[in-house]
Amino acid sequence: MEEKMERVARKIEFLENPKKRGNIPPKELLGMIPIKNTDTILDLGAGTGYITVPAARTTAGMVYALDIDADMLDLIKSKAEKEKIENIITLKDSIDHIPLPDNSIGLALASLVLHEMPSLPRALGQIKRVLKPGGYFVCIEFEKKDFPKERHPRIASSEMEEAIKLAGLNVSRKLFFTDAIYMIKAKKL
């Protein structure tokens, strides 16, 4: 039990480290995205709720936190209860099997998680499926660099942009927060 608690604590510390996220506060990030007061939002690979909780404050719509780790979902529930946020629903599943109906989400966010997908095309297909026509997908990822010491999987921004287009989404914006972290915004037509 103690080992599990230590593992969860290490994961929380890692996921909430602002340096890992390019020192971009969630509120600033969300301000760059067209969020309507009634949007239904899906936070893919929600982790600790770093984006889920602030997103829930920006909309009266439901915010779904999808993650494969039940401990992270419990943490999000705890944060929501503590902050008296009632529009968060947690979902334990994978991005390549989103348990939501077709055309049900106004905004899907994937922050630093798609590089972990065994099949990027399948994950992007699921994202497109759940997006409403006119809905947005925002992807934040690590830029792939040719460093011999790079231990973690990365997806080059050009490869991600092409994969998003191949999934049938219209890329409308691409920007770099740092030389190592980029954002791509796409729309389902």
Side-chain angles (χ1 to χ4, degrees):
M1 184 67 155
E2 188 175 318
E3 183 179 311
K4 179 184 175 184
M5 289 173 52
E6 287 177 19
R7 179 192 62 81
V8 170
R10 281 192 310 273
K11 187 171 184 177
I12 291 168
E13 182 180 352
F14 174 75
L15 291 174
E16 292 196 344
N17 182 345
K19 289 181 182 177
K20 175 187 185 288
R21 300 186 174 275
N23 286 321
I24 304 149
K27 188 175 180 180
E28 183 180 327
L29 170 66
L30 292 167
M32 302 169 87
I33 302 168
I35 300 176
K36 297 180 196 113
N37 186 42
T38 56
D39 272 343
T40 301
I41 298 173
L42 172 60
D43 185 5
L44 299 152
T48 64
Y50 185 83
I51 292 177
T52 307
V53 173
R57 290 189 198 111
T58 67
T59 182
M62 296 309 300
V63 177
Y64 294 94
L66 178 88
D67 205 286
I68 59 172
D69 188 333
D71 292 323
M72 295 298 103
L73 296 174
D74 288 343
L75 177 63
I76 292 170
K77 288 178 193 173
S78 174
K79 286 181 177 183
E81 287 173 15
K82 183 178 179 182
E83 297 187 33
K84 297 182 181 11
I85 297 172
E86 298 179 358
N87 61 332
I88 294 175
I89 296 174
T90 58
L91 302 170
K92 185 179 183 308
D93 219 318
S94 173
I95 297 170
D96 57 8
H97 184 267
I98 301 172
L100 291 171
D102 295 359
N103 305 311
S104 61
I105 300 295
L107 172 66
L109 300 159
S111 180
L112 306 176
V113 68
L114 289 179
H115 63 272
E116 296 178 12
M117 293 294 97
S119 171
L120 182 60
R122 178 163 169 72
L124 291 171
Q126 282 289 296
I127 293 165
K128 181 185 178 199
R129 179 187 65 76
V130 300
L131 279 176
K132 295 176 182 177
Y136 286 93
F137 168 56
V138 176
C139 166
I140 299 160
E141 264 306 333
F142 294 112
E143 181 63 60
K144 185 173 187 169
K145 306 252 185 205
D146 292 325
F147 294 130
K149 294 181 182 177
E150 190 169 71
R151 298 182 314 243
H152 303 290
R154 303 283 187 252
I155 302 171
S157 57
S158 58
E159 291 173 27
M160 181 64 79
E161 183 175 11
E162 186 62 26
I164 290 170
K165 288 177 182 176
L166 286 172
L169 298 170
N170 184 33
V171 173
S172 59
R173 185 175 187 193
K174 179 170 135 179
L175 65 91
F176 284 82
F177 295 123
T178 68
D179 66 339
I181 299 175
Y182 62 86
M183 179 182 88
I184 297 175
K185 182 173 80 171
K187 186 175 185 178
K188 180 177 176 179
L189 300 177

